[in-house]
Structures are given as structure tokens and as C-alpha cells.
Amino acid sequence: NFFLFSLFYLALKMLNQLRTAVRSVARRSDAGRRFASHGPDHKYSDSVTPIEASNLYSGAGTLMGAVMWFWILWRAKHDMPHLLGFEHPWDHLPEAHGEEHH
């Protein structure tokens, strides 16, 4: 259980570091960049009002992403030997004594 908790904690920490790095790179790269249709100070028309997602939704998205990667890595840990052919799924079935196997 401790291993799973620490894996989950590290995944959340790495996602947070990645998000911070992407934001800082995006801020730095806008300075000398040409935009195809609009400049960086483009104003939308009055009919379009973009909104920022609240911290609740940003946090929920990060949490759901972490759970997704946790699930993928968990399934890979348990299914990878079967997929690579190191184990067979029928190797762990209980033996039925006294019956013929065909």
C-alpha cells in the first residue's frame, strides 16, 4: 500500500512540475513569436467572452489525469508478463484433480 501511495504522490508531483514548466516556456516563447492571425494583444469581439477554468476544474483535471496514468501503469504491471509471453493466463488456474485434460 505504501508503494502505491508513493507512486501516486510522485505522479502528482511530476504532473505539477510539468504543468509549471510548460507554463513558463509558453510565457517566454510569446515574446519574439509571430502569430498567424492575431497578435498577442488581440481582443475578441463583444459576442465572444473566453473564460478561465477555476482552480476546482484545473485540480480535478490534474487528479483525473493522475488516476488515468496510475491505472495504466497498474494494468501494465499486472498484464505485461502475459502480453510479452513470459507467463500464460492459464498457468494460474486451479488444477481439477481426477479429470482428463484434452
Side-chain angles (χ1 to χ4, degrees):
N1 288 339
F2 179 74
F3 173 73
L4 297 176
F5 176 75
S6 60
L7 182 67
F8 184 71
Y9 176 75
L10 288 174
L12 282 177
K13 193 172 181 179
M14 287 175 27
L15 283 173
N16 192 22
Q17 289 175 350
L18 179 65
R19 186 177 63 192
T20 304
V22 166
R23 284 182 181 170
S24 67
V25 167
R27 277 190 224 119
R28 281 184 275 157
S29 65
D30 285 347
R33 205 168 94 184
R34 292 185 181 189
F35 293 85
S37 60
H38 305 293
D41 298 325
H42 172 69
K43 292 275 193 175
Y44 289 95
S45 67
D46 293 333
S47 62
V48 177
T49 54
I51 57 172
E52 287 286 325
S54 70
N55 289 337
L56 174 70
Y57 293 114
S58 296
T62 302
L63 178 66
M64 289 170 63
V67 168
M68 175 196 68
W69 281 111
F70 175 75
W71 178 254
I72 289 172
L73 293 174
W74 178 267
R75 292 309 317 162
K77 175 186 172 193
H78 290 282
D79 293 342
M80 198 58 67
H82 300 293
L83 292 173
L84 295 177
F86 296 131
E87 293 181 5
H88 299 291
W90 55 84
D91 287 343
H92 304 291
L93 293 176
E95 290 292 327
H97 299 288
E99 296 181 13
E100 290 186 22
H101 292 93
H102 297 158

